[in-house]
Every structure is written in structure tokens, then in C-alpha cells.
Amino acid sequence: MTGRVVCVGIAVLDQVWELSALPPGPGKFLSHGFRETGGGMAATAAVAIAALGGAALWHGRLGDDGPGATLLGLLARCGVELVDVVPAPGGHSPVSGVLVDAEGERMLAVFPGEGLPRESALAEERLDGAGAALADPRWPAGAERLFRLAGARGLPRVLDADVAAAGTIADLAPLTDHMVFSQRGLVEFTGIEEPAAGLAAAAGRLRGTPALGPAGGLGVTLGARGSLWWREGGAVPLAAPRIAARDTTGCGDVFHGAYALALAERRDAPGAARFATAVAALKAERGRGWLGMPDRAAVEARLAEGWA
């Protein structure tokens, strides 16, 4: 096992406006800051892995357009290896608009792109030397191909179980060893608002899948409240450290990337969750999109102080 992780899924060009407070309703509001950076679940996870000293490979779909070219350049500059990415002629790349307030909370609108290929052309040899695989649910065919290839090699497979098209999470569940829901993703999957009850319902639905096996993991991230994990028939909390958040955009994606990297480095699920908690908290404290990713030394220093 190595610190090499193959990530499959969405990359988004984030256009971020900074406001003193999030809008209470429709209207015109003055922004005191603007930046354009990369986003998207699998792509952000890959950038986090690279910043932490891992080897990150990203495979996804982009259009042959300006946002796509910008994203390819950003990923390469962040140290992510691009594999089997062929921009689709006439396709439109994913773009998002993000409003961020002074406390780091945000509102997000995402255009997922259009005219992009349905099937994945990920080559099997891209998993040579890999220690883990990660996918988000935005590209079901891509996630399925990655997980089948990784499963044949006995690699841990992490699903970022966020909001998805109907049936996607259930279809991918038998192919994944670690399912980490976002809070909204868990509500959508179970119909239950309360996280502990929702996690219990998810565990019931997922009985017999690898995530509930002895080497698997099932959890839900809860932002500043940390996360919950299904262990020995109950929901076990993992607190997040208290920080002054600058921007929480993408912190869940960072968590998933750090979690996958920790698994690739042979940490068990509880150890991977503690490591990922520290990484995501430090990212929220720093903000700055992909440019604010913490490195390994910064994370280890915080862990030595008793974080997570």
C-alpha cells in the first residue's frame, strides 16, 4: 500500500464572492472580495492529497472550453496528475457561484456541465501502485469503473456520498468499502433529518455491504460539529476542533481526500477519520480555495497539540 490515490469525479471552476453576511433574500449586494479557484468533490480531494504529500491522480469530465482549460491548468499546478482526461468538443465544463460570509459559511449554486461523455475511459494500469481509490457520485459510470478496477486489486474504495441522482448511492454501495455521507446526502438517502437516526437507518439499508464489514467505514460529516461513525451497532461521535473558520467551501471534499490518503497509508478507519478531521479543520481555518490546502507538517503539528 502506498500514498497514491486515484480520484474520479467532478471538477468545477468556483467563482467566489465574499460578503459581510449571506443574503436574506433576493436583491443586489456588494461584494468586498472575489476570486476564481478550483472546486468539485473529487478534484478538491485530489488537490488535498497532493498538498499532504500523497500522489494524486484525477480522472474526470470537462468541456473543450475556457473553464475546462483553466481547471486543467490549476490541477496541474497543484501537483495533481491528470489521467485519461479528454475535453469534450462542444461540451460545457462545470462552473459554480459561491457566496461566502465573514464567518466562513456559504451559499453555493453549481452548473454541472453539459455535453460531457457518459462512459469512462480510465485505463486499468492507472491503478498500478495505488493504495486507495476515491470517487464522488456526480459521474456514476466513472465511479463504477474505478471501484470495479480497485476492487479487483483489493484496494480500499471511498465514496463521497453527497447529494446525487436518484438511486446512485444505492447502486454504488455494493462496490465501496467506505461510505462517508455529507449531512445533506444522508438526509436525501434516508429521509431523516437527525444525523444519528439517519446513520442508523443508512446502516440498516446497507447491511451486507463492504462499508459495514470489519475493514469498512460508514459515517457522516457534520461541519463544525465533527462527524458520526457507525461502530458496533451505534453512532459514535468524533468532535472537530474549535477554530475560527475563514471559508468552509470544499472542506467536506478535503475530508474525503485526507481520509482516502490515510487509508492508502495503512491507517484504519478510525485513524483515517481523526487525520481527516484535522486536515479539514485546518483548511476551514485557512480558506483561500485550493491555494489554502494544508501540508503534512501543518497537520501533524496540530495533531501533536491534541487536535482530533
Side-chain angles (χ1 to χ4, degrees):
M1 301 283 278
T2 70
R4 182 179 176 88
V5 183
V6 182
C7 303
V8 170
I10 195 169
V12 182
L13 186 63
D14 283 345
Q15 297 176 327
V16 185
W17 287 266
E18 298 177 1
L19 305 171
S20 57
L22 294 178
K28 184 181 292 185
F29 306 93
L30 182 65
S31 170
H32 59 77
F34 172 83
R35 65 182 183 275
E36 195 169 65
T37 184
M41 290 178 282
T44 299
V47 172
I49 290 164
L52 291 165
L57 288 72
W58 179 78
H59 173 66
R61 303 182 294 174
L62 293 172
D64 187 13
D65 56 7
T70 298
L71 283 165
L72 290 175
L74 286 170
L75 284 162
R77 287 196 291 276
C78 288
V80 174
E81 183 180 347
L82 308 171
V83 293
D84 305 324
V85 180
V86 181
H92 297 286
S93 299
V95 179
S96 75
V98 187
L99 304 181
V100 180
D101 70 11
E103 303 300 319
E105 291 301 321
R106 83 278 196 264
M107 296 175 66
L108 181 70
V110 179
F111 170 64
E114 62 182 4
L116 305 177
R118 181 186 181 278
E119 299 300 327
S120 166
L122 180 67
E124 183 176 356
E125 59 267 24
R126 301 302 189 187
L127 279 78
D128 290 350
L134 175 148
D136 66 48
R138 293 291 183 266
W139 186 17
E144 179 179 348
R145 177 162 178 78
L146 173 67
F147 286 155
R148 290 193 184 281
L149 292 174
R153 294 173 178 238
L155 301 178
R157 300 159 293 179
V158 179
L159 175 63
D160 184 339
D162 199 1
V163 174
T168 299
I169 301 300
D171 289 345
L172 292 174
L175 304 177
T176 65
D177 308 289
H178 299 265
M179 293 185 64
V180 186
F181 285 91
S182 68
Q183 188 169 0
R184 286 184 60 233
L186 182 63
V187 171
E188 183 179 84
F189 185 67
T190 64
I192 299 172
E193 293 285 341
E194 201 282 315
L199 195 61
R205 285 188 60 182
L206 297 169
R207 188 176 292 113
T209 64
L212 291 178
L218 174 65
V220 55
T221 58
L222 302 172
R225 291 181 291 159
S227 56
L228 286 176
W229 298 87
W230 191 255
R231 299 197 180 108
E232 299 181 359
V236 178
L238 176 60
R242 295 177 63 87
I243 60 163
R246 179 176 177 182
D247 183 358
T248 60
T249 305
C251 288
D253 310 330
V254 170
F255 184 101
H256 287 85
Y259 184 89
L261 176 60
L263 293 175
E265 295 175 345
R266 298 187 178 181
R267 301 193 196 211
D268 61 11
R274 288 191 295 273
F275 177 74
T277 297
V279 176
L282 191 51
K283 174 64 182 71
E285 191 176 67
R286 292 183 172 194
R288 298 174 54 231
W290 285 359
L291 296 178
M293 293 294 181
D295 60 19
R296 181 66 64 108
V299 175
E300 295 295 349
R302 294 300 181 93
L303 286 171
E305 294 170 4
W307 272 26

